[in-house]
Amino acid sequence: MNIKNIVSSVYKDLTTHWKHPADGNFVSYKELVNLSIGGMGNQLTMQLVWQMGLNAGNTLLGSTIGIRPLHLQYMLTIQTVLNVLFFFVRAGMVDNTRTKWGRFRPYIAFAGIPLAVMSIVFVFLPFQTMSYNEKLISVFAFAMTISMVQPLFTDTYSELQTVITPNSEERAKLLSINSLIYSFAPTLTGLFIPILSNLTGGYTNINTYRYVLAPISLLGLGLNFFTAIGCKERVVTSSSYVQKVSIIEGSIMILKNKHWWIRQIASLIGFLESSTGIFFSWIYIYGVQDMTAYGILTTVMGTASGIAMAITPFLLKKLGNKKLLIYHNLLNIVFLIILMFTFKVPMLMFIIMYMNNLVNALSLVYNQVMHSEVKDYQQYICGYRMDFVFGLAGMVTMPITLLSGYVIPYVYEYFGLTTNYDILYDPNVRNSLFFVLCVLAIIGAVLNLIPFCFYSMSKEKHQNIIRVLRYRALFDDFETNSFNADIIKDGVEAVRTGLELNESPVPDLKSLKAGIKNAPKGDAKDAARKAYMEAKSFAADKAEVGIFMEELNKFDTPIWQHKVEKARELISKDIDSIAFISESVVADAKNLPKSTKEQRAFRKYDIQQAKALVKSGKLIKKNYPNGLVKPDENKLEAAYAMPDSSSAENRLRRKAIKEAEKELDLYYKTIAPYAAAKKLVHSFENRDEVIRWAEANYDEACEIIRVREEEESKKSNEKKRFAGRRNK
């Protein structure tokens, strides 16, 4: 009976919200299915493209075509350097894309076409009649072209998932469900491609790529359109203009993010951790030589990721990010050590690798969570929200990444893997190589773990950072005379809960823990245990509330009072006077006393401000030689309000928006320190008024949200009733 009720409830929920999302949500089940089918199409299209990756273990480029591992690494080095240029080109294209479909969906629909065409043309080249240099040139040309286009196809799909709903809780659920569904595509290909490859000569035969993988890529192109046509981009934007941060400036800001550096260093020194990734395929291609068994076991191996994605949310709730990461890495080291002594037995190796893949797959979820936390922390320390810029900031470590990339290719060639991969059929060569790779992977796993011992972003700290960001949002809306019900509600509740947390006494965990021991078995012991866990969670939250209180009371500290004093001094002068500030102000700031901690803080701030003012003065002379002229901000609103019902109107609208934004960007970039000083003084003078204003509007904001949700529910019910009558 319970099972029947569950099935009935699920069926009712699916049919009710198939086209119309549930109350408080934005995405219907139909749209989620479209997103997932398109995700499968994305995965299928990339099946052949991925075979052209420039890495030493690439079977197509190395074993089939015959390119040396070190030569593949040389090409990867050039590709990595060129990707810096490609990054700016792609960023300019995507950031300036404004269509009825949005920014990302046009690329999802069409960027896969050149990728599939190029990869198919590549595998049909007559490699058997080419000289080695001709093969080298062909691989280089196609790989470089594909690397430029590929992110327009794959990254835009990832970005679409971040804007498909403005509801963060709904987004998390969608990402989890979508990942499970679209991973069905690589599961199927992992099963059938190895089996079908038996008919075409296996993975070392070019016909496998021509007649098995190529048709799969074409099938994927058609499925992509489910996402491109059947999904929406729901971006929440302010009605007022927001000053932008350039890519270079944003990258410099990210370099001051300690949590970002910890993750970056871990990846730099832990690059050897993935050395054993090639074991599974090479043992079945060159050792067992049974592609049917390989296909079946690949499918079974794929279930490890599904299990990991299902249990990670529970583990995160129980352990938190840092503990889960440390446990994951410790288990990874243990499994690698066991693998070192078991890889000679294929089935035993498979069991160990399955367990290792399961724990490694935990990172698919918690890495995204950690990355989001790092971005929230970045917004907390610099005041700007940055997402795409993180990719460019990561290029600062590119030289180290390039150098470390030569280690594995060198090891391959040391064991004789140049253009003749047939030596892997020799178990002595294969086993010796695999043993060394196991040792390298263990070293990489240990090195990767070390930096995260210093990672301090706990769940409670992140919650208080979000509390700070919501509090700051109140100031932004007050500054621009905006009324956003969600921002007011969230901001007021952030302040209320923060103050309540700060003023509440620290629970006596010791006595509560003793209470569990002394309580009689049954409900009393369960209640005592629950009380202890709640108190422990509360104590952890309270331990980090200082982050919020520091923000709330920052204007009471000497350093912030000094900042306000300097800001008032700046805005008391005519803005055009900045153009005449000499570089001597930087030298004067550097000569300030630095004996005490407070003096050093003052000096550091004054040096930064002096440099910013000198830079602003130079920009005024360059950009406004006849004097500063503030652009009309209404021009941007008028541009957004222009019609776009036809392609011609759409082009005019995009051009007008681009011109208006360019004028405002130039102006605010030029007067950046003056605008920041003006905002700081305004925030200081209105710090109490902002809270009173938000509190006064809190009830109205809650009512607006309540009415909005009721109206959305009413519209949904009306649509369902209409659909029901139409079906009758």
Side-chain angles (χ1 to χ4, degrees):
M1 187 64 183
N2 288 334
I3 296 176
K4 183 178 179 180
N5 289 338
I6 292 172
V7 172
S8 176
S9 177
V10 170
Y11 176 77
K12 183 178 179 181
D13 184 55
L14 284 172
T15 54
T16 302
H17 304 301
W18 174 249
K19 291 185 178 180
H20 311 291
D23 294 344
N25 290 340
F26 293 83
V27 182
S28 65
Y29 286 120
K30 181 180 180 180
E31 188 172 354
L32 173 58
V33 170
N34 285 329
L35 180 69
S36 301
I37 293 176
M40 288 193 284
N42 193 288
Q43 294 278 314
L44 293 175
T45 302
M46 294 300 296
Q47 286 297 315
L48 182 56
V49 179
W50 281 327
Q51 305 302 321
M52 298 179 62
L54 296 173
N55 62 76
N58 187 301
T59 303
L60 170 62
L61 303 183
S63 179
T64 307
I65 296 177
I67 306 299
R68 290 179 56 184
L70 278 175
H71 289 171
L72 289 172
Q73 189 62 36
Y74 294 152
M75 287 188 282
L76 178 60
T77 300
I78 298 171
Q79 183 188 80
T80 305
V81 174
L82 288 177
N83 267 333
V84 178
L85 173 62
F86 296 160
F87 179 89
F88 284 99
V89 173
R90 290 192 298 265
M93 289 173 61
V94 177
D95 287 346
N96 290 295
T97 296
R98 291 182 178 87
T99 69
K100 292 180 179 180
W101 285 17
R103 293 170 58 199
F104 305 122
R105 291 192 292 151
Y107 296 101
I108 293 172
F110 301 112
I113 296 174
L115 281 176
V117 170
M118 284 187 291
S119 58
I120 291 172
V121 169
F122 175 79
V123 295
F124 277 93
L125 292 177
F127 292 110
Q128 64 276 10
T129 61
M130 289 184 176
S131 66
Y132 183 80
N133 286 338
E134 289 173 335
K135 293 178 182 178
L136 204 63
I137 293 171
S138 299
V139 169
F140 179 78
F142 277 86
M144 293 305 116
T145 308
I146 284 174
S147 71
M148 182 177 70
V149 179
Q150 179 180 329
L152 291 176
F153 182 60
T154 54
D155 291 2
T156 50
Y157 178 80
S158 299
E159 291 296 330
L160 173 65
Q161 296 178 76
T162 67
V163 297
I164 196 169
T165 171
N167 184 324
S168 58
E169 184 178 347
E170 183 185 19
R171 188 187 304 121
K173 292 178 181 178
L174 289 175
L175 288 171
S176 178
I177 296 171
N178 184 43
S179 298
L180 287 170
I181 296 176
Y182 78 63
S183 62
F184 187 63
T187 299
L188 286 177
T189 55
L191 172 63
F192 291 109
I193 289 177
I195 295 174
L196 292 173
S197 71
N198 283 323
L199 305 175
T200 52
Y203 277 91
T204 58
N205 193 308
I206 193 68
N207 288 331
T208 298
Y209 303 91
R210 290 174 175 173
Y211 304 115
V212 178
L213 288 169
I216 290 174
S217 288
L218 294 176
L219 172 64
L221 288 179
L223 297 180
N224 286 317
F225 281 90
F226 278 88
T227 292
I229 298 174
C231 295
K232 295 180 180 179
E233 297 178 21
R234 300 173 177 90
V235 182
V236 179
T237 56
S238 173
S239 58
S240 59
Y241 178 77
V242 178
Q243 182 182 349
K244 297 179 181 178
V245 180
S246 72
I247 292 177
I248 301 298
E249 289 174 332
S251 298
I252 293 172
M253 291 178 182
I254 290 171
L255 296 180
K256 299 176 183 178
N257 187 326
K258 62 181 180 181
H259 298 294
W260 177 83
W261 271 112
I262 288 173
R263 286 169 54 84
Q264 200 72 12
I265 291 171
S267 65
L268 284 175
I269 64 178
F271 68 96
L272 293 171
E273 190 174 8
S274 60
S275 300
T276 58
I278 200 68
F279 277 22
F280 183 60
S281 59
W282 275 6
I283 280 180
Y284 276 86
I285 291 173
Y286 300 104
V288 179
Q289 299 180 40
D290 185 345
M291 290 296 98
T292 300
Y294 177 58
I296 295 171
L297 292 178
T298 298
T299 305
V300 176
M301 187 74 78
T303 63
S305 297
I307 295 172
M309 282 186 279
I311 66 175
T312 303
F314 301 100
L315 293 175
L316 280 172
K317 186 176 181 180
K318 180 73 174 177
L319 301 172
N321 270 339
K322 183 176 178 179
K323 284 185 179 180
L324 180 58
L325 181 144
I326 290 175
Y327 290 154
H328 154 225
N329 278 273
L330 288 173
L331 285 172
N332 187 35
I333 294 170
V334 170
F335 287 130
L336 287 172
I337 292 173
I338 298 173
L339 185 64
M340 185 166 57
F341 301 102
T342 58
F343 67 81
K344 295 179 183 179
V345 183
M347 188 52 64
L348 190 56
M349 175 215 67
F350 170 78
I351 295 171
I352 300 303
M353 291 199 76
Y354 181 90
M355 296 171 68
N356 196 26
N357 281 356
L358 193 152
V359 297
N360 283 335
L362 297 173
S363 64
L364 296 174
V365 178
Y366 77 66
N367 258 336
Q368 289 297 321
V369 176
M370 291 180 76
H371 184 54
S372 298
E373 290 177 349
V374 169
K375 291 196 290 185
D376 290 335
Y377 178 75
Q378 184 65 46
Q379 186 178 356
Y380 165 70
I381 62 175
C382 74
Y384 297 102
R385 181 68 185 186
M386 289 179 281
D387 295 291
F388 196 74
V389 182
F390 277 83
L392 181 62
M395 293 180 183
V396 72
T397 59
M398 183 175 64
I400 301 174
T401 304
L402 293 176
L403 289 174
S404 63
Y406 283 89
V407 175
I408 299 301
Y410 175 79
V411 172
Y412 285 175
E413 296 215 354
Y414 178 82
F415 280 89
L417 261 72
T418 53
T419 59
N420 182 19
Y421 278 62
D422 288 347
I423 62 171
L424 289 173
Y425 288 110
D426 184 344
N428 294 321
V429 175
R430 190 171 64 246
N431 292 342
S432 298
L433 172 61
F434 283 8
F435 184 84
V436 171
L437 291 177
C438 275
V439 174
L440 292 176
I442 293 168
I443 294 172
V446 172
L447 292 175
N448 181 65
L449 178 60
I450 294 172
F452 285 110
C453 295
F454 303 94
Y455 188 80
S456 61
M457 180 62 73
S458 64
K459 179 182 69 174
E460 294 78 21
K461 180 177 287 187
H462 179 254
Q463 287 174 346
N464 277 283
I465 286 175
I466 296 299
R467 188 174 279 125
V468 169
L469 297 180
R470 287 176 172 174
Y471 171 65
R472 289 178 183 173
L474 292 176
F475 281 83
D476 292 337
D477 268 23
F478 184 83
E479 181 80 21
T480 57
N481 293 317
S482 302
F483 186 96
N484 185 306
D486 295 295
I487 287 178
I488 290 174
K489 181 178 182 293
D490 290 342
V492 169
E493 291 174 357
V495 174
R496 288 177 178 178
T497 56
L499 290 173
E500 181 183 354
L501 198 61
N502 183 64
E503 294 166 2
S504 299
V506 179
D508 188 351
L509 296 178
K510 188 176 180 180
S511 62
L512 287 169
K513 192 170 185 179
I516 299 174
K517 185 177 180 181
N518 298 328
K521 292 183 179 180
D523 293 341
K525 188 173 282 293
D526 291 340
R529 189 177 289 109
K530 182 179 179 182
Y532 171 75
M533 295 305 296
E534 290 177 351
K536 186 179 179 181
S537 177
F538 181 83
D541 288 339
K542 184 174 174 61
E544 299 293 352
V545 77
I547 295 172
F548 172 71
M549 295 307 298
E550 182 180 338
E551 178 74 17
L552 192 68
N553 301 318
K554 67 182 181 182
F555 287 120
D556 296 331
T557 61
I559 182 61
W560 278 95
Q561 290 171 356
H562 176 75
K563 290 179 180 181
V564 171
E565 181 184 348
K566 286 292 182 179
R568 279 177 169 165
E569 182 182 328
L570 176 60
I571 65 175
S572 66
K573 302 174 183 177
D574 184 74
I575 190 172
D576 288 292
S577 65
I578 298 176
F580 304 101
I581 293 177
S582 68
E583 295 194 13
S584 63
V585 295
V586 178
D588 293 340
K590 290 181 178 180
N591 290 328
L592 289 171
K594 51 181 178 179
S595 302
T596 66
K597 184 178 180 180
E598 184 176 283
Q599 287 176 341
R600 287 192 292 272
F602 287 1
R603 178 177 176 272
K604 180 180 179 181
Y605 177 75
D606 288 351
I607 291 173
Q608 291 173 342
Q609 284 298 99
K611 289 180 178 179
L613 287 171
V614 170
K615 179 182 177 181
S616 180
K618 291 178 180 178
L619 289 175
I620 290 174
K621 292 176 182 177
K622 176 185 176 181
N623 300 327
Y624 301 93
N626 299 320
L628 276 168
V629 179
K630 184 178 180 180
D632 182 5
E633 294 192 8
N634 293 325
K635 184 177 178 181
L636 181 60
E637 293 184 17
Y640 273 109
M642 289 175 65
D644 62 346
S645 55
S646 65
S647 58
E649 289 180 341
N650 187 266
R651 284 195 298 271
L652 290 174
R653 180 177 179 270
R654 281 185 293 161
K655 183 179 179 182
I657 291 172
K658 187 175 180 179
E659 289 177 353
E661 287 185 340
K662 185 178 180 180
E663 290 179 9
L664 287 167
D665 283 342
L666 181 64
Y667 177 76
Y668 281 110
K669 180 181 178 181
T670 301
I671 66 158
Y674 188 90
K678 193 172 181 181
K679 181 178 180 180
L680 176 60
V681 171
H682 194 269
S683 296
F684 171 74
E685 293 176 345
N686 294 282
R687 61 191 186 281
D688 296 326
E689 181 61 28
V690 169
I691 300 299
R692 286 195 292 269
W693 166 78
E695 287 282 3
N697 289 285
Y698 177 75
D699 291 338
E700 182 182 352
C702 290
E703 180 64 16
I704 289 173
I705 293 171
R706 186 189 66 78
V707 171
R708 182 182 66 197
E709 291 176 348
E710 285 185 355
E711 289 177 349
E712 290 173 352
S713 177
K714 183 179 179 181
K715 289 179 181 178
S716 177
N717 291 332
E718 287 177 352
K719 289 180 179 179
K720 284 185 286 185
R721 284 196 295 270
F722 176 76
R725 290 195 299 269
R726 185 177 57 187
N727 292 335
K728 289 180 180 180

